[in-house]
Amino acid sequence: AQKVTQAQTEISVVEKEDVTLDCVYETRDTTYYLFWYKQPPSGELVFLIRRNSFDEQNEISGRYSWNFQKSTSSFNFTITASQVVDSAVYFCALWGYRDDKIIFGKGTRLHILP
Amino acid sequence: DSGVTQTPKHLITATGQRVTLRCSPRSGDLSVYWYQQSLDQGLQFLIQYYNGEERAKGNILERFSAQQFPDLHSELNLSSLELGDSALYFCASSSPGQGNTGELFFGEGSRLTVL
């Protein structure tokens, strides 16, 4: 069975600090996709990134970066120079070929303090 | 605006009652997903439909059922409601070419409160 674990339930940092959100996954599949979604206070989930299991290259998009390591089954998300607008709940998600379902972790609530 | 529409946005009802949540996917999307978000369980996958057919099932209770209609809108029916069913119910859709590996577009959710 597939599983996504986001061990950090809640994190608070002061604005401009860097912060890393952890995501550890379990799957039997060799073909799978990993995702991150953001849920701001307004409530609607917004897609941030998708990564397939054959592409371990790290990705950077502005202040956001993602570190995918198959050896540790992790797909961590780093926000550099955090801003108050980054305050949200962040979800990591997994799709595996055999299960063919997209399952989410329990989310990490991030507070960026001014 | 994701293009996914969910109604109602808020719903308050009593235990034992039945409610129907409605979802209209983005234009052209064939897949509809239902998720339940509660404080302690996070975002739980309930069920997925693709072009009218059930495609995948998650932790959906027997008291819950769903369907997708020929016009591709979907309804989630919750019956014999219990206090623990209070949650935010999200609908999402995805592009036909992406399948389950693509981006999900979420609606704003329907917040159900069972008293």
Side-chain angles (χ1 to χ4, degrees):
Chain A
Q2 300 182 142
K3 188 177 178 182
V4 176
T5 302
Q6 294 180 255
Q8 302 151 309
T9 307
E10 203 157 345
I11 300 174
S12 294
V13 300
V14 177
E15 198 174 19
K16 296 184 185 174
E17 286 185 357
D18 299 347
V19 57
T20 295
L21 309 182
D22 297 333
C23 172
V24 174
Y25 61 92
E26 294 177 29
T27 179
R28 299 169 301 168
D29 291 309
T30 55
T31 301
Y32 55 89
Y33 280 76
L34 295 160
F35 308 82
W36 276 94
Y37 284 82
K38 175 181 180 179
Q39 186 180 35
S42 58
E44 194 169 325
L45 284 104
V46 177
F47 169 84
L48 294 177
I49 190 171
R50 177 184 71 168
R51 174 67 66 204
N52 76 53
S53 53
F54 301 108
D55 181 3
E56 280 194 77
Q57 277 194 341
N58 292 331
E59 177 142 349
I60 299 174
S61 175
R63 295 182 298 104
Y64 294 172
S65 62
W66 291 269
N67 180 253
F68 176 29
Q69 290 197 336
K70 288 175 77 170
S71 60
T72 56
S73 297
S74 65
F75 186 44
N76 296 337
F77 172 32
T78 297
I79 301 174
T80 303
S82 60
Q83 300 177 1
V84 172
V85 293
D86 296 326
S87 297
V89 181
Y90 291 87
F91 291 94
C92 181
L94 166 69
W95 172 86
Y97 177 77
R98 274 183 283 186
D99 273 357
D100 197 26
K101 299 173 196 171
I102 304 170
I103 62 161
F104 285 74
K106 292 194 176 183
T108 297
R109 184 175 296 276
L110 177 62
H111 301 277
I112 308 298
L113 308 171
Chain B
D1 183 2
S2 67
V4 177
T5 304
Q6 288 188 248
T7 57
K9 286 189 169 42
H10 300 277
L11 191 55
I12 301 174
T13 188
T15 54
Q17 296 298 304
R18 172 190 170 96
V19 299
T20 297
L21 309 181
R22 182 189 168 100
C23 170
S24 293
R26 293 187 323 153
S27 177
D29 286 355
L30 302 179
S31 278
V32 169
Y33 309 74
W34 286 98
Y35 286 86
Q36 178 194 56
Q37 184 179 20
S38 56
L39 281 175
D40 56 342
Q41 292 297 317
L43 207 57
Q44 293 277 309
F45 171 68
L46 296 179
I47 198 163
Q48 178 201 354
Y49 281 84
Y50 178 83
N51 203 21
E53 300 287 327
E54 181 184 306
R55 176 163 173 175
K57 212 166 185 175
N59 300 324
I60 187 166
L61 299 172
E62 284 191 14
R63 299 184 286 107
F64 296 0
S65 64
Q67 55 183 325
Q68 186 179 28
F69 294 86
D71 66 353
L72 301 177
H73 91 272
S74 177
E75 292 181 358
L76 178 66
N77 300 296
L78 315 174
S79 60
S80 302
L81 285 168
E82 301 175 359
L83 296 178
D85 298 327
S86 296
L88 193 50
Y89 291 85
F90 281 104
C91 170
S93 68
S94 65
S95 299
Q98 298 282 323
N100 283 349
T101 64
E103 174 183 353
L104 293 182
F105 296 89
F106 283 84
E108 293 181 341
S110 293
R111 182 170 294 284
L112 172 66
T113 303
V114 182
L115 300 175

